[in-house]
Amino acid sequence: MGYIRCNSEHEGVNMSVAERRRGRGGGGAARRAARTAVSFETARYIERNIPNFEVLSEEALEIIETNAETVLAEIGVNIVENPAALQRWRDAGADVDGERVRIPRGLARQLCATAPSVFTQHARNPERSVVVGGRNLVLAPVYGPPFVRDLAGGRRYATMEDFRKFVKLGYMSKWLHHSGGTVCEPTDIAVNKRHLDMLHAHMTLSDKPFMGSVTEPSRAQDSVDMCGLLFGNDFVQENTVMTSLININSPMTFDDVMMGALEVYARNNQACIISPFIVGGAMAPVSVAGTLTQVLAEVLAGIAYSQLIRPGAPVIMGAFVTSIDMNSGAPTFGTPEAAHITYGAGQLARRLGLPYRSAGSFCGSKLPDAQAAYETSNSLNMGLLSGVNFMLHACGWLEGGLVSSFEKFVMDADQLGTLHHLARGIEIDENAQAMDAIREVGPGGHYLGCDHTQNNFKSAFWKSDLLDYKPFETWEDEGARDTQTLASLRVEKMLADYQQPALDPAIAEALSDFVARKKSEEPDSFM
Amino acid sequence: MGYIRCNSEHEGVNMSVAERRRGRGGGGAARRAARTAVSFETARYIERNIPNFEVLSEEALEIIETNAETVLAEIGVNIVENPAALQRWRDAGADVDGERVRIPRGLARQLCATAPSVFTQHARNPERSVVVGGRNLVLAPVYGPPFVRDLAGGRRYATMEDFRKFVKLGYMSKWLHHSGGTVCEPTDIAVNKRHLDMLHAHMTLSDKPFMGSVTEPSRAQDSVDMCGLLFGNDFVQENTVMTSLININSPMTFDDVMMGALEVYARNNQACIISPFIVGGAMAPVSVAGTLTQVLAEVLAGIAYSQLIRPGAPVIMGAFVTSIDMNSGAPTFGTPEAAHITYGAGQLARRLGLPYRSAGSFCGSKLPDAQAAYETSNSLNMGLLSGVNFMLHACGWLEGGLVSSFEKFVMDADQLGTLHHLARGIEIDENAQAMDAIREVGPGGHYLGCDHTQNNFKSAFWKSDLLDYKPFETWEDEGARDTQTLASLRVEKMLADYQQPALDPAIAEALSDFVARKKSEEPDSFM
């Protein structure tokens, strides 16, 4: 098995053709749009030209698949406070006993067959739309932390202002294809209203694809409605414009909130990642094979349910899996056991013909230090090699997911460039063989000045925009800065350079009006 | 292709049965030996139970192999100031023109065929002997830096005292199988004598296998002679007790010093790593395929020469390859291009049937910070997956190899544990399937207390001896320490806990006498 690079577009960097809507009457909104009609380089999503790394034998895969069917048929899953879902399962042929749903062998897998193996998530800038599935890898930022950290301000509760900064950084990060969802929890905004501000930020501060709200079915509906304003309602019904994160309460429990959100999205043809959230040894067996069995059973049930709502609704098989430190009970990240599960789950996803979500910039460290980077690199590399199609948390994750780190966001986002280059594989055409250069230079010479080097050096090597390669003396004269310090400067520079992508003023106004109206309809709740 | 773990000994941790030679007359040396008869856990070398990651197709491999033969036949290699070597090549059928040696197609590969695909390097403690080749991976520490760095003292020229500390840390590092060679350059000892002190340190402060001197043929001979004292001369002639590092001056130049050392080792049945030292774009073409072609041509010539000296002499095919930052000319580490070359060279080595050396704790960073860890993790993971059999520089490398870092040594050495666990693969026996646990816990339960977890948690997860998993508040109360700070404390603790492995006092005395006599025979030289 081997791959040769064949497509020079693998890493095509798209310059967005900014919409310029000057001069429509010279209103303030139009002028603002014109002023902000600048965009930044974004690499195309990764199309792998390297193989997947597979650790499970055919025999092992079959054992796990058989066991997962046994789990569904004999143990079953709990569907909590959702009588309509229980009825759908009963109608589909499952054995429903109270909230327990036992799914006959083969039924869940058969239902999953209508889910597409590849789908496009559209961005409002069509050049930033992503194709999820196949050999592709789409990179999205950290999701969910209630805290932020930066070098100047330390660790603190996240605010909407932090959220907007992360959306801006994501927009400007070349190797990030997706704006994500809850890049941090804006804790200064009411719980029942913050989804409006978050979606508004993704829609107006970036032109990359984004995620919808899942914290209430009504908020999922708000997300769909806002997309209707941004993309047009007809477009939304016919295309996928959001990918949202539906966690399963492992072991084997589906709650009404997450399922309610899933129902809204599936009904509207919007994509969901259906993802067990597992700390191994706590929410799943302590063994890798046992965890994979449970993960497979859970995603089979969840994805089958999405297809009961709407056959053909786009879904991603997720696996968020960490290990546990058995002394402290703390989750651990970037571990070899997480790698095994990620590799194995990738094989299971491919056998199901479904897009696969796993891995990320996971770490347990409190600081963007060496521990954070070891753990993150372990996970990012494993994510690429395991065939992940959608990598949430690809940058910015800190402290077990409690913290979104500004510095780590740009540090990780820089490292994502290595995944793009790794995925290219090795070119073997005549230019790459370089026989003329070897002849020209000969024994004892050097290649720095030869034609082949001059013609190829610009594209030959991945180049960090952050890491330090300076001579020791220069580095020392400049203050002996560590990676965190360099990253802090880069965050500052990127935010200073940020310019908002253009948006039709009518759309911008409609979105603002929607948010204002929705906010006025109910009192703030922080519960 | 898949692998199932089948052997519980994969990661067997050997407790050394310390030699206790009490009471032989009660002399001071015997008492010292008895006092020091304590040893530390060392993991057995890695025996992979996972596949290798292969990026080159059969077609690409054949192109590279054909091109390498073309390089040897049409361009040739330079053998500098070594008339005897030129004569050996002439006798073997090469076309020798001045110092240029052109090797007919197929000849070098044919000569390489007598090199063993697997060999044992014996340690003086037989439980720490390593088997190099096959699916094994032997981990050895950083080699060569003239500087050291630690948190307290900063960056400074390395001394013999630093050297001894690194040997002690290596001896006590559980996941490190090998004591290495020049763990740092002891710049306070004369150049013509430091090899004696270095070997003496490896032989007396550790009982792990080690490397010999290559800086002069006479120093290689001293290394062999000292091994004669340590292992017995007959044992040395019949067994391999050293693996030494022979760098090729890329492109395609073999100097008399390195070749002279190689001749000594091969003649004495001692192993050499024959390794191009390449900064891509400077000493080899800027393209991966071109670099692989040159690497293969160089190692074919070098290994063939070792077999001209003594057919069957153990060798390792090396590939030390980094990229270059084309702006500054600085070498870069942990890059995707280095990964491609490492994966590809692994495939070429396996097709040659030779053990393979590559990868390591490479980084360009000046500090053991996030940059250092990203770059190092990238390289370590790629080293495991590319099928490396001997990984030099597996821990402690900093600043492009200019610095041996005390903190990074223990940080990397801790991460080496992840490679051991990754290499295990995934167990699939009934216990690992955990179906009883899934039944017992059921939907909504948790696994922390179940029998399966209790019976398996101790061995289920790799556990760091260094990284921080504490709750934020505890971590903050303890001083909000970063990885470097934790590592500094660990260095201190390990050195405080160090106890010398026992050694027959007669051997210890013979080694000291040899070093003293050799040192007295010539004046110090610092050139």
Side-chain angles (χ1 to χ4, degrees), chain A residues 3 55 67 74 251 282 287 294 366 369 371 374 378 381 412 422 432-433 439 444 447 462 468 470 483, chain B residues 3 55 67 74 251 282 287 294 337 340 366 369 371 374 378 381 412 432-433 439 444 447 462 468 470 483:
Chain A
Y3 292 75
V55 295
N67 286 348
E74 295 180 16
S287 60
Q294 185 182 309
K366 316 297 181 291
D369 60 0
Q371 173 177 349
Y374 282 128
N378 289 345
N381 282 300
D412 296 336
L422 270 171
Q433 291 178 43
R439 273 184 229 279
Y447 290 82
W462 168 71
D468 167 76
K470 292 176 178 163
T483 318
Chain B
Y3 292 75
V55 294
N67 286 348
E74 296 180 16
S287 61
Q294 185 182 309
E337 294 74 33
H340 285 151
K366 316 295 182 292
D369 59 1
Q371 174 177 348
Y374 283 127
N378 289 345
N381 282 300
D412 296 336
Q433 291 178 44
R439 274 184 228 279
Y447 289 82
W462 169 70
D468 167 75
K470 291 176 178 163
T483 318

Side-chain angles (χ1 to χ4, degrees), chain B residues 20 22 27-38 499-502:
Chain B
R20 291 165 196 268
R22 292 169 192 270
R31 276 201 303 278
R32 274 196 302 281
R35 256 204 321 275
T36 59
V38 172
Q499 291 183 283
Q500 194 169 5

Side-chain angles (χ1 to χ4, degrees), chain A residues 18-268:
Chain A
E19 297 172 72
R20 291 166 196 266
R21 295 173 180 269
R22 291 170 193 267
R24 276 211 316 201
R31 279 202 302 278
R32 274 196 301 282
R35 257 203 322 273
T36 59
V38 172
S39 79
F40 298 91
E41 283 189 329
T42 293
R44 189 174 157 91
Y45 51 85
I46 293 172
E47 295 170 88
R48 286 180 182 82
N49 200 29
I50 55 173
N52 297 310
F53 187 65
E54 308 210 317
V55 295
L56 288 170
S57 66
E58 177 68 24
E59 183 200 353
L61 288 162
E62 283 172 10
I63 289 171
I64 290 167
E65 287 171 341
T66 302
N67 286 348
E69 295 283 1
T70 301
V71 168
L72 291 176
E74 295 180 16
I75 304 170
V77 300
N78 279 1
I79 309 278
V80 180
E81 294 183 12
N82 194 339
L86 293 172
Q87 188 57 49
R88 283 189 192 98
W89 272 115
R90 197 177 286 117
D91 294 345
D95 168 26
V96 178
D97 176 14
E99 294 191 324
R100 184 70 60 95
V101 176
R102 292 185 178 82
I103 305 168
R105 280 174 195 285
L107 175 60
R109 184 171 285 266
Q110 179 195 320
L111 289 168
C112 289
T114 54
S117 57
V118 179
F119 67 89
T120 298
Q121 182 186 350
H122 294 269
R124 71 170 167 101
N125 177 346
E127 298 194 2
R128 293 184 177 172
S129 297
V130 293
V131 179
V132 179
R135 300 193 60 77
N136 299 353
L137 171 55
V138 173
L139 301 168
V142 60
Y143 185 105
F147 297 99
V148 296
R149 175 183 276 281
D150 62 18
L151 190 56
R155 183 187 194 257
R156 59 191 186 275
Y157 275 104
T159 65
M160 194 60 216
E161 186 51 30
D162 293 315
F163 187 99
R164 292 196 185 95
K165 285 183 184 170
F166 278 115
V167 172
K168 292 175 182 177
L169 291 176
Y171 171 61
M172 296 182 71
S173 294
K174 176 175 171 183
W175 307 114
L176 203 61
H177 317 117
H178 202 282
S179 194
T182 310
V183 286
C184 62
E185 275 288 348
T187 60
D188 55 337
I189 309 290
V191 168
N192 58 337
K193 300 181 179 175
R194 61 177 66 148
H195 66 288
L196 299 163
D197 287 339
M198 290 194 279
L199 277 160
H200 187 262
H202 284 300
M203 291 176 171
T204 59
L205 301 178
S206 179
D207 63 4
K208 295 185 179 179
F210 53 82
M211 304 171 79
S213 175
V214 295
T215 54
E216 279 291 344
S218 65
R219 297 173 198 153
Q221 188 59 53
D222 286 345
S223 306
V224 172
D225 293 345
M226 287 179 75
C227 282
L229 299 174
L230 183 66
F231 291 94
N233 280 320
D234 290 350
F235 190 87
V236 170
Q237 286 309 312
E238 283 158 26
N239 297 281
T240 297
V241 297
M242 280 181 289
T243 298
S244 304
L245 178 62
I246 302 296
N247 279 329
I248 296 167
N249 286 353
S250 301
M252 298 178 291
T253 303
F254 293 80
D255 71 44
D256 58 325
V257 173
M258 283 282 169
M259 286 302 102
L262 168 63
E263 289 161 16
V264 171
Y265 287 123
R267 201 176 289 129
N268 287 280

